């Protein structure tokens, strides 16, 4: 029995550690944009140091200790540094890219990527069409960088589109470009036969009837 207190003490300490860890998440904090006397400018919200990047993902970064969030962080870093699309371009990726494109890109770039979106028709500056030679020949990384950092009047989307989803959008944009500029010689035989049966359509596609 004299050993019982020695056994109970570690259990009490372990329980206290879990409670202390939860207190770190529930600690007192300022409301958004609340005033503060702690800083000279009187604001509680602080600008992050130059060059910092947000890395936390999910509720409690996937675990109360934050240990499981490391995998997602490494995946983000790999996607952010890739010069070409690091993911297999399959139907799943294209569906994801189409979904994200319809949410973030369609209002300006239009469903087919010609830059005639609804906000453009209401006076917003028109973005360039994806179907011009310059953008058809641009590397994947260029499109990814524009999504990330913005370009001209287009705002950056890095804070709302995750790196993997930016590559999915790039893949979908490539599919849009191909849909409007597919070489007739690369079409399946049955579709090529239908195309050859329509001289006007075949000539527009660059095929010989």
């Amino acid at each position: 029995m004299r050993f019982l207190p020695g056994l109970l003490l570690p259990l009490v300490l372990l329980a206290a550690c879990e409670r202390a860890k939860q207190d770190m998440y529930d600690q007192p904090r300022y409301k958004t944009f609340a005033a503060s006397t702690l800083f000279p400018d009187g604001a509680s919200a602080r600008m992050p140091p130059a060059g910092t990047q947000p890395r936390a993902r999910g509720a409690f970064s996937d675990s109360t200790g934050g240990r499981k969030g490391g995998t997602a962080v490494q995946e983000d870093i790999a996607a952010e540094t890739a010069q070409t699309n690091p993911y297999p371009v399959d139907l799943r990726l294209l569906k994801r890219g189409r979904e994200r494109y319809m949410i973030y890109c369609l209002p300006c770039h239009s469903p087919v990527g010609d830059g005639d979106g609804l906000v453009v028709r209401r006076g917003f500056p028109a973005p360039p069409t994806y179907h011009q030679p310059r953008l058809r020949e641009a590397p994947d990384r260029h499109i990814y960088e524009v999504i990330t950092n913005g370009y001209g009047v287009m705002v950056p989307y890095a804070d709302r589109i995750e790196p993997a989803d930016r590559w999915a959008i790039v893949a979908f944009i490539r599919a849009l470009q191909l849909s409007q500029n597919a070489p007739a010689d690369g079409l399946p035989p049955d579709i090529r036969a239908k195309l050859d049966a329509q001289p006007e359509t075949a000539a527009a596609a660059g095929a010989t009837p």
Side-chain angles (χ1 to χ4, degrees):
M1 296 295 293
R2 64 177 180 273
F3 298 106
L4 185 59
L7 294 175
L8 292 176
L9 181 60
L11 295 177
V12 173
L13 292 176
L14 287 174
C17 287
E18 180 61 28
R19 176 59 185 172
K21 182 166 60 176
Q22 188 62 36
D23 286 344
M24 294 179 66
Y25 295 115
D26 298 334
Q27 61 185 297
R29 57 189 180 275
Y30 286 104
K31 293 184 177 180
T32 305
F33 302 122
S36 171
T37 59
L38 183 62
F39 302 101
D41 61 3
S44 61
R46 315 309 304 160
M47 292 296 295
T52 57
Q53 293 289 334
R55 291 300 182 193
R57 293 274 299 276
F60 290 167
S61 294
D62 296 332
S63 72
T64 55
R67 294 182 295 275
K68 294 182 180 179
T71 300
V73 169
Q74 294 304 316
E75 290 174 353
D76 282 353
I77 293 174
E80 289 172 352
T81 56
Q83 297 303 305
T84 58
N85 200 325
Y87 305 104
V89 181
D90 52 18
L91 187 58
R92 180 180 179 180
L93 186 71
L94 291 175
K95 284 183 176 180
R96 179 66 178 179
R98 180 182 183 275
E99 179 189 61
R100 300 292 94 182
Y101 179 93
M102 293 299 178
I103 294 172
Y104 295 107
C105 313
L106 179 143
C108 293
H109 291 276
S110 90
V112 297
D114 61 1
D116 190 29
L118 290 177
V119 297
V120 173
R121 296 181 183 184
R122 287 162 174 76
F124 195 77
T129 173
Y130 291 134
H131 307 295
Q132 60 178 280
R134 178 178 68 85
L135 291 181
R136 285 202 303 266
E137 298 168 3
D140 288 350
R141 183 70 195 187
H142 171 74
I143 301 176
Y144 180 92
E145 290 284 355
V146 171
I147 298 172
T148 302
N149 301 314
Y151 191 89
V153 296
M154 175 180 165
V155 299
Y157 281 84
D159 63 339
R160 63 203 79 178
I161 306 178
E162 295 183 1
D165 284 342
R166 290 175 230 164
W167 283 118
I169 292 174
V170 171
F172 181 71
I173 290 173
R174 292 307 193 195
L176 286 179
Q177 292 174 326
L178 182 61
S179 73
Q180 303 294 311
N181 194 54
D185 293 341
L187 296 174
D190 58 332
I191 297 179
R192 177 63 187 270
K194 293 179 182 179
L195 184 67
D196 290 345
Q198 304 177 33
E200 293 182 359
T201 305
T208 302

